[in-house]
Amino acid sequence: MLKVKKINSYYGGAHILHDVSLNVEQGEVVALLGRNGAGKSTTMKSICGLVQPKSGVVEFMGQGMQGKPPYHICRAGIGYVPEERRVFSELTILENLEVGKRSARQDVPQWSHEKLFELFPNLAERRQNLGSQLSGGEQQMLSIARTLMGNPSFILLDEPSEGLAPVIVEQMALAIMELKKQGVTILLSEQNLHFAKLVADRAVILESGFVRYGGTIVELEADEEVRTAYLMV
Amino acid sequence: MGFYLVQLLTGLSNACALFLVASGLTLIFGVTRIVNFSHGSFYMLGAYIAYTLVEQSSGAFGFWGSLLLAGIAVGIIGLIVELIVLKPIYKSPELYQLVATFGVILVIQDLAQWIWGAEDLFGRRAPGFKGENATVDIAGTLMPTYDLAIIAIALSVLGILWFIFNRTRFGILVRAATLDREMVSALGVNQSLLFSGVFFLGSMLAGIGGAVQLPKGGASLLMDFEILSPIFVVVVIGGMGSIWGVFVASILVSVLQAFGVLFFPQSTLVLMFLVMAVVLIFRPWGLYGKEESSTEHAAGEIKEPLREVGSKMKMVFLTIIALLIISPIFLEGYNLNTIIDVLVFCLFAASLHYILGTGGLVSFGHAAFYGGGAYAAALLVTYANTPMELAIFFAPFLAGFVALIIGWFCVRLTGVYFAMLTLAFAQVLWSIVFQWSAVTKGDDGLTDVYPQIITSGSILHYYVVLILAVGGIILLRAMAHTPFGYSLRGGRDSSLRSEAIGMDVKLIQMSSFVFAGAMAGLAGSLFVFTKGSVFPDEMTIARSFDALLMVFLGGVQSLTGPISGAAAFTLLHEWLVQITEYWRGCLGILIICIVILLPNGLAGIGELFRNIFTKTPKEEAAK
Ligand SMILES: Nc1ncnc2c1ncn2[C@@H]1O[C@H](COP(=O)(O)OP(=O)(O)OP(=O)(O)O)[C@@H](O)[C@H]1O
Ligand SMILES: [Mg+2]
């Protein structure tokens, strides 16, 4: 479904991603793992168009996405949930969802307010609250819900469990599995295996902007050496 | 009692008129982050177009319909300007956008003069608001009814805006984009369309604001610059991007002015800026503004370090200086004066470049120090019997002192906010000079301040200017190459990192601001020294823009930029004035073309050619 081939991304003069390649197949949940500053967020931004790779190819459903503006990539079916959540602080929950709303697409689950409030019941009670009045967990839920309003077939989830209380993390994992069941393909990033092993099928490990490892979660769990080299702090 | 009530209502009416125009400006800034200086021109166009439409209409319906139609027409013009001029430069540094909108101001000014003539036009009174209905008796005091109509119009507009922003998808997207436009685009919204929509709406508000003024004040070619400082003041006070903020600020400023005029009739203009200064001391980002967290584009995006002047370049410089030294032998009178003008502007532009290029702080009000120096010298001669020859040396210190006060407020901010604040303070100074006629002679200016020994136009005069201007420029250059100058650049390139290694970035910026101000003051005093007179014009926004234009034309990359820019600008100006009455429009079009085609100023011509002949300059740059 998504093929990233040898992309190189920069911030100003700093070369961050070095020939990063990865594949995600339809219906999969793939975890992009790596330590602080490994380049996970940069990879996600390079896919959704917020960072333009200087070279390489991003192919989604057989179409080249590199060089396209973010709104175009979003409309092609790639939803992006940023690490910092970036909910619109002065807009209500309903208005936040309105910003993400896009018309229906074929062969992908369609989302409505009500369906999303079922997925994230915490949001339902607070629909008229402003983004700035939400807790970290609620903001994360809203950010995901907002992206789902675009009816994506594929979503990029940047560290969905970061900074959340254990109960909320569990809730998040359930939500992600529900999304997967509904047929949404997911690439999520995490710093470690704890959360990833709950939801992901495969893992790709980044270090200093290089891809260091690719394999199933089960294989990775068994591979002590790789884990100590690239994941343990 | 009735008197105070009427005063209050008048204040509110002025507030509403101001709000109509300023709301459009803040809206455009909030979403596109463009500081649209041509907003005042759209306001002016609103009045002119309304004039033409009203003349051809009849009845109440025709009259009010004309005002609305004028607003829509201006909205469309705004949209066209956005598509042609601004769309290509959204990602460019602020300076470029400023220069482009300045170009638009010039073009619209000449276009308006061409279509409607230079004479002021007086519009028809509004039907139902003339004759015996023109005023209403409020507890014994008469109040123009049309002023009340303006309140009603503005409140309706506020209501409509509220509806748009809270009940329509477009409005919600606009509010979201004001908060985080990148995220909005990642959610699938085509920014380009959104920007165009916002530009249409914002320009339309300016147009309606202008049209509404027609029955009150008519239409004139001065409207564009006249409205600029009030709308910028309220936008800054309210917090840039906040519609509600601009409404509150308009009321605050206008009501205070309505009562202030009773107590200090001479200082109505200054009062407005005083309010702004007070608000900004406590809330640097305005009443409802938020601190700008991400600086999306730096002032000039100058990545290269200052290069040492190559030996070739040194030769060129020495040759030019040698030519300047011997030029009195074969030039005289008019031509020599042109060279003097160029030299003065070179120093002025170089001083702006010091703070803008080296410091990364885009000052929109540099004329404050140029005019400040000019007035300082002229005032010393007029009131303290100082010989002009001596006054030249005091002027930079006084200009530097002014820069110290203004800088204290301004360097706390960065980016557009810094720019706006410097502009506003320059306007404070201008309004003081303009209104304090007991001392400054107001609009009549200070005249007859010629030097006593060195007669104007003499060769000695020429050499004094030459030495001081070139000396000032060399001083500016030398300063940029001291450790102090390096740390200023450090603050520009990475203020966090500089602070982390223990530099007091703000203090360094502050002293540089003062130094640049002093050098501009020197240029100003040389101006008086040459002309023997000074008028408030030397402090206007237009003069600050001239300097920015010169720096822009030459390119911000190196000090050769402002110098060649000043020379090119002055000569171009002289030439255009000679060949056409519509030199402003020509200059405007030229500027716009340069901004769009040569993103590095005239110095970028070489680069343009290189870009054409080598296919992938960016990739090379990355290597
Ligand atoms: N806007 C930026 N400008 C310059 N450098 C940046 C920027 N954003 C990230 N970087 C640098 O790029 C590198 C990769 O950052 P990135 O955010 O992709 O890492 P990450 O794997 O997401 O880390 P984390 O787990 O902390 O979120 C880091 O060295 C970081 O310092
Ligand atoms: Mg990250």
Side-chain angles (χ1 to χ4, degrees):
Chain A
M1 186 172 216
L2 176 81
K3 290 194 175 71
V4 175
K5 295 178 198 156
K6 294 201 160 196
I7 56 169
N8 287 279
S9 294
Y10 296 77
Y11 288 117
H15 193 168
I16 305 293
L17 296 187
H18 303 263
D19 285 337
V20 167
S21 300
L22 56 91
N23 283 334
V24 184
E25 298 303 330
Q26 178 108 38
E28 261 190 324
V29 177
V30 174
L32 188 60
L33 303 176
R35 294 195 179 108
N36 263 330
K40 305 180 293 293
S41 300
T42 309
T43 306
M44 300 230 161
K45 288 181 183 168
S46 303
I47 295 171
C48 74
L50 291 182
V51 168
Q52 298 282 356
K54 282 235 169 80
S55 65
V57 175
V58 176
E59 208 178 278
F60 181 66
M61 317 256 274
Q63 286 180 329
M65 291 290 146
Q66 70 283 355
K68 296 268 162 40
Y71 80 91
H72 181 100
I73 296 176
C74 171
R75 290 179 185 186
I78 298 183
Y80 168 63
V81 182
E83 184 174 357
E84 319 81 37
R85 285 89 195 237
R86 291 169 84 163
V87 302
F88 302 112
S89 56
E90 287 168 26
L91 270 57
T92 64
I93 288 188
L94 285 177
E95 287 172 336
N96 266 281
L97 294 180
E98 173 67 30
V99 177
K101 193 170 99 187
R102 308 243 38 104
S103 52
R105 223 190 311 270
Q106 283 178 345
D107 312 326
V108 291
Q110 308 298 317
W111 297 92
S112 62
H113 295 167
E114 294 317 314
K115 227 172 127 190
L116 286 167
F117 288 146
E118 253 168 57
L119 187 64
F120 299 114
N122 306 38
L123 295 182
E125 304 143 27
R126 325 200 50 182
R127 58 185 83 189
Q128 291 297 351
N129 281 51
L130 295 182
S132 56
Q133 298 166 332
L134 303 180
S135 71
E138 288 162 343
Q139 289 193 4
Q140 180 68 65
M141 293 174 198
L142 176 57
S143 187
I144 296 176
R146 185 179 62 182
T147 297
L148 288 173
M149 284 298 284
N151 305 315
S153 52
F154 178 95
I155 58 175
L156 300 160
L157 280 179
D158 202 349
E159 300 203 32
S161 75
E162 189 186 356
L164 301 184
V167 197
I168 310 284
V169 171
E170 217 166 279
Q171 223 177 324
M172 206 54 78
L174 288 174
I176 290 172
M177 284 188 283
E178 175 63 26
L179 288 181
K180 184 184 176 189
K181 211 165 78 193
Q182 301 238 5
V184 183
T185 310
I186 297 171
L187 177 65
L188 62 83
S189 79
E190 278 295 324
Q191 297 208 5
N192 52 52
L193 256 177
H194 305 307
F195 184 79
K197 72 184 175 197
L198 297 177
V199 292
D201 308 310
R202 281 196 303 120
V204 173
I205 298 184
L206 281 180
E207 191 225 23
S208 318
F210 290 92
V211 174
R212 299 296 190 193
Y213 177 87
T216 65
I217 287 283
V218 184
E219 284 165 5
L220 178 58
E221 274 198 279
D223 198 335
E224 178 87 37
E225 203 177 314
V226 169
R227 276 177 17 233
T228 35
Y230 303 123
L231 296 182
M232 307 278 173
V233 189
Chain B
M1 188 60 226
F3 174 73
Y4 290 103
L5 193 60
V6 166
Q7 212 62 28
L8 177 69
L9 284 172
T10 308
L12 285 178
S13 172
N14 293 341
C16 285
L18 191 56
F19 165 74
L20 280 177
V21 189
S23 59
L25 182 66
T26 210
L27 177 66
I28 290 173
F29 174 79
V31 175
T32 66
R33 294 292 135 140
I34 292 247
V35 180
N36 179 23
F37 280 94
S38 53
H39 202 69
S41 306
F42 294 139
Y43 163 77
M44 178 176 81
L45 275 183
Y48 273 112
I49 295 178
Y51 174 84
T52 300
L53 292 175
V54 164
E55 289 304 300
Q56 275 157 26
S57 71
S58 61
F61 186 74
F63 180 86
W64 297 110
S66 298
L67 298 196
L68 182 63
L69 220 59
I72 294 174
V74 173
I76 293 172
I77 295 173
L79 183 64
I80 295 171
V81 167
E82 195 259 354
L83 290 176
I84 298 177
V85 180
L86 297 175
K87 200 127 274 182
I89 54 166
Y90 274 127
K91 292 223 165 74
S92 306
E94 285 126 16
L95 176 62
Y96 297 53
Q97 300 167 350
L98 161 85
V99 167
T101 56
F102 187 51
V104 174
I105 294 181
L106 296 177
V107 173
I108 291 183
Q109 221 165 45
D110 265 7
L111 222 62
Q113 181 173 348
W114 183 59
I115 298 175
W116 287 283
E119 298 287 310
D120 291 4
L121 300 176
F122 294 97
R124 262 199 276 148
R125 310 298 293 276
F129 294 87
K130 51 190 173 189
E132 55 191 31
N133 291 332
T135 52
V136 57
D137 188 324
I138 295 179
T141 311
L142 290 181
M143 159 115 201
T145 43
Y146 189 72
D147 283 0
L148 296 175
I150 290 182
I151 298 184
I153 293 171
L155 289 182
S156 324
V157 168
L158 185 64
I160 294 170
L161 287 178
W162 184 90
F163 180 83
I164 292 177
F165 289 131
N166 290 287
R167 291 287 179 271
T168 69
R169 178 170 166 84
F170 171 74
I172 291 172
L173 292 183
V174 166
R175 279 163 60 214
T178 306
L179 295 166
D180 186 348
R181 54 187 180 155
E182 194 184 59
M183 194 60 223
V184 170
S185 75
L187 288 168
V189 176
N190 185 348
Q191 268 198 6
S192 189
L193 282 179
L194 190 65
F195 283 15
S196 298
V198 162
F199 230 89
F200 172 77
L201 183 60
S203 308
M204 181 168 127
L205 286 167
I208 291 178
V212 166
Q213 281 301 309
L214 180 71
K216 226 184 143 180
S220 87
L221 290 172
L222 296 176
M223 286 173 83
D224 53 354
F225 274 110
E226 270 170 12
I227 195 82
L228 266 188
S229 36
I231 57 176
F232 275 111
V233 166
V234 293
V235 165
V236 169
I237 293 179
M240 297 185 72
S242 164
I243 296 264
W244 180 242
V246 92
F247 184 69
V248 173
S250 299
I251 290 182
L252 187 68
V253 165
S254 301
V255 171
L256 271 177
Q257 259 184 343
F259 287 103
V261 76
L262 302 177
F263 304 106
F264 323 98
Q266 289 303 306
S267 51
T268 44
L269 290 172
V270 181
L271 196 66
M272 177 166 79
F273 296 107
L274 273 183
V275 177
M276 186 187 74
V278 171
V279 168
L280 292 176
I281 291 173
F282 296 104
R283 298 190 66 101
W285 309 95
L287 291 175
Y288 293 86
K290 294 232 167 48
E291 182 160 356
E292 193 84 329
S293 48
S294 67
T295 42
E296 277 178 46
H297 39 62
E301 297 212 5
I302 319 123
K303 288 180 199 92
E304 278 176 55
L306 267 198
R307 265 164 301 176
E308 273 307 310
V309 184
S311 55
K312 256 192 212 153
M313 215 47 190
K314 263 191 187 135
M315 285 306 292
V316 173
F317 262 116
L318 289 177
T319 317
I320 291 177
I321 289 177
L323 278 176
L324 285 172
I325 291 175
I326 57 164
S327 54
I329 300 174
F330 48 88
L331 290 178
E332 56 191 321
Y334 175 78
N335 289 327
L336 217 48
N337 276 333
T338 306
I339 295 187
I340 288 181
D341 288 350
V342 172
L343 283 170
V344 170
F345 276 142
C346 282
L347 178 59
F348 181 28
S351 72
L352 175 63
H353 175 265
Y354 183 75
I355 194 74
L356 188 153
T358 314
L361 294 167
V362 185
S363 164
F364 283 0
H366 210 54
F369 314 121
Y370 177 72
Y375 266 96
L379 287 170
L380 280 172
V381 173
T382 312
Y383 293 102
N385 280 325
T386 320
M388 188 69 224
E389 289 83 348
L390 203 59
I392 295 182
F393 292 98
F394 286 123
F397 290 99
L398 290 169
F401 180 68
V402 171
L404 184 70
I405 299 171
I406 295 181
W408 185 84
F409 287 97
C410 298
V411 296
R412 296 190 294 167
L413 304 181
T414 53
V416 180
Y417 290 82
F418 174 84
M420 294 317 308
L421 212 54
T422 48
L423 176 96
F425 275 104
Q427 286 300 97
V428 176
L429 219 57
W430 171 81
S431 47
I432 291 176
V433 165
F434 190 77
Q435 284 201 318
W436 198 11
S437 37
V439 173
T440 62
K441 306 257 162 42
D443 213 12
D444 297 334
L446 292 167
T447 49
D448 255 346
V449 282
Y450 285 105
Q452 289 170 354
I453 310 161
I454 308 168
T455 42
S456 286
S458 69
I459 292 187
L460 181 58
H461 178 191
Y462 172 79
Y463 281 123
V464 170
V465 175
L466 179 65
I467 290 170
L468 288 177
V470 173
I473 292 171
I474 291 175
L475 191 62
L476 281 161
R477 196 196 113 78
M479 205 61 172
H481 285 84
T482 58
F484 185 77
Y486 290 129
S487 44
L488 177 64
R489 264 204 305 288
R492 173 197 78 195
D493 293 336
S494 174
S495 117
L496 284 181
R497 211 174 305 162
S498 300
E499 258 159 30
I501 60 169
M503 279 166 31
D504 188 341
V505 173
K506 293 295 169 200
L507 185 69
I508 291 166
Q509 289 178 338
M510 179 75 209
S511 6
S512 310
F513 193 72
V514 172
F515 175 59
M519 286 298 122
L522 178 61
S525 65
L526 288 177
F527 169 85
V528 186
F529 177 65
T530 307
K531 305 282 181 208
S533 59
V534 58
F535 301 91
D537 284 358
E538 298 312 317
M539 278 193 187
T540 49
I541 300 182
R543 190 65 74 242
S544 294
F545 283 10
D546 283 348
L548 284 162
L549 214 56
M550 294 176 214
V551 173
F552 167 78
L553 277 177
V556 282
Q557 264 74 4
S558 70
L559 191 57
T560 45
I563 297 173
S564 51
F569 177 81
T570 322
L571 299 176
L572 188 71
H573 183 269
E574 297 263 307
W575 177 63
L576 282 175
V577 169
Q578 277 170 19
I579 58 167
T580 165
E581 182 190 350
Y582 295 107
W583 59 272
R584 277 192 203 87
C586 294
L587 187 63
I589 292 173
L590 204 68
I591 292 170
I592 293 170
C593 292
I594 291 177
V595 173
I596 296 174
L597 300 176
L598 292 177
N600 284 324
L602 289 182
I605 290 183
E607 196 165 321
L608 181 78
F609 281 112
R610 243 176 294 142
N611 284 359
I612 292 173
F613 294 118
T614 53
K615 275 178 198 149
T616 52
K618 274 192 187 150
E619 271 173 31
E620 276 169 16
K623 281 167 199 163

